[in-house]
Amino acid sequence: MRSFLASLGVAGVVSACLVSGSALANSAGISGRSGRDGSSLTCAECHTGGGAAPTVTIEGPATLAPGATGNYSLIIRGGPAAGAGYNVAVSEAAATLTAGSGSRKLSGELTHSTIRRFSNGEARFDFTMVAPATAGRVTLFGAGNSVNDNGTEQGDSSATTTLEVNVTGGGSGGGDGDGNDDGGCAAAGGVPLLGAALVLLSTRLRRRR
């Protein structure tokens, strides 16, 4: 009986360590929870019971030229708001994500390296994306987790968002949209002037005769 109870005690300690280890691991970030790979693969898979969900948005340019770099921010507002974490993924492998301060790249995705504290009612994670070299559409997938920072996954709340980025070539500029440069002269415009000059020269030559 004592042996059985001792075994239960050991199992309980191991279980507690596993749960604590999971919470600590996620405080340093996790990938595969941006919502890109399915609606069930988000922060809400583990973090639950936090009441009203936060609002999560991704801010940044919705249009980039091929190969251009865009500056973006994932912003979390509301929820328990003691701290925050995030995960961002991109739909196209040809687009390159780079983590900002307090973040890191994990398995090709972006996540926090430590819990971010709220400031002025929000937690902001900055990052950049280099657009693919060819035109098309890229989707940024983001998940934000607003936590109560009690050391467990209970009492937290999360939400997801997306941002569509169009990768398109830009015009050369300086034109008026019809192929003519502003302020320039059309080639056809020079023909009447040349004709007038020739007529005047011909008239003068006749008078001299």
Side-chain angles (χ1 to χ4, degrees):
M1 184 66 174
R2 289 180 179 177
S3 177
F4 176 71
L5 292 175
S7 297
L8 286 178
V10 171
V13 171
V14 171
S15 177
C17 289
L18 288 174
V19 172
S20 299
S22 175
L24 290 174
N26 290 348
S27 69
I30 189 171
S31 63
R33 295 297 182 271
S34 66
R36 181 190 65 180
D37 302 317
S39 59
S40 63
L41 295 177
T42 67
C43 303
E45 183 181 14
C46 298
H47 295 268
T48 59
T55 60
V56 177
T57 57
I58 296 177
E59 295 183 356
T63 302
L64 288 176
T69 299
N71 296 313
Y72 295 89
S73 298
L74 183 138
I75 304 169
I76 304 168
R77 300 181 179 93
Y86 84 111
N87 182 204
V88 163
V90 67
S91 62
E92 302 298 324
T96 304
L97 296 173
T98 300
S101 176
S103 299
R104 63 190 180 117
K105 200 167 187 178
L106 180 64
S107 300
E109 301 178 7
L110 303 182
T111 188
H112 54 282
S113 53
T114 185
I115 293 176
R116 178 69 51 88
R117 300 301 172 188
F118 276 66
S119 177
N120 297 321
E122 66 181 33
R124 179 183 294 262
F125 297 92
D126 298 326
F127 63 96
T128 64
M129 182 184 75
V130 178
T134 56
R137 178 173 291 183
V138 175
T139 304
L140 285 167
F141 295 86
N145 194 24
S146 181
V147 304
N148 57 13
D149 200 18
N150 65 356
T152 74
E153 296 168 338
Q154 301 302 310
D156 304 331
S157 188
S158 63
T160 59
T161 188
T162 60
L163 178 67
E164 298 289 338
V165 180
N166 291 313
V167 180
T168 179
S172 59
D176 57 10
D178 59 3
N180 295 328
D181 291 332
D182 293 338
C185 297
V191 174
L193 293 177
L194 179 59
L198 291 174
V199 169
L200 180 61
L201 179 60
S202 177
T203 302
R204 287 183 178 179
L205 290 174
R206 289 176 181 176
R207 287 178 180 177
R208 290 179 181 178
R209 290 176 183 176

